[in-house]
Amino acid sequence: MNLLHTLSSAAVSAAAPPAGDAATATGYDGAGIDGPAYLDVVHTAQDAPGWLDHAVSLYSSYGLAIFAVLMLYGWWSARARGERERAVRALAAPVLTVLAFVASTVVKSAVRELRPCHSLRVATLEACPAPDDWSFPSNHATIAAAAAIALWFVSVRLGVVASVCALAMAASRVWVGAHYPHDVAVGLAVGALVALTLGLVVRALAPALAGRFGPLVRAGGPARTPGASA
């Protein structure tokens, strides 16, 4: 969480107005959109078994690492099979994800929606961030969705697994109290839109790019026609 907030601040430092004193930061109150639904989820989490809350909290905090592992596997398998175009798409996956994160961060800085734990004064599983750590859209959801869509361009199976993980990440961010449902819904949409748009461009350019990356896209032997699964 701290790493994402640091990266967010760096990405928009040139465009965003100074936040001022964190204790006096003000922003948009999104509670009127789906605050009751958010409270229902948070109260359910408070009444849930401790082991479940612990598992969801761990996934919410560290689950993005799963997407990095899937990307690495997608690239490695494509490279090992000599599927150069698929390896190019795999190499592009983290780039698409970072660009989606930047887009989400710019929107976040423009909207400046207060975290629900500040607007609604409710206890949450995740510690309430600083007032100037804006809520809309969810960067976690954006990153997860972008990674999932990027992985669909690499492998159908990886795309399916990543999509399930992305939906779970979005749900976990509401469960731990970090975001409203609309924050994660828009985060998923932003990540998917950016990754899909750029992924189509990468797929079109992959044949031309495949010969430029050398051993990064081919472990050895003759190149093969890109496969649809890993």
Side-chain angles (χ1 to χ4, degrees), residues 117-139:
C117 51
H118 289 293
S119 295
L120 298 175
R121 306 291 183 181
V122 62
T124 56
L125 296 181
E126 182 175 290
C128 194
D132 62 340
D133 186 350
W134 311 115
S135 188
F136 176 90
S138 165
N139 277 339

Side-chain angles (χ1 to χ4, degrees), residues 5-19 105-106 109:
H5 181 43
T6 300
L7 292 174
S8 298
S9 300
V12 298
S13 58
T105 300
V106 171
S109 179

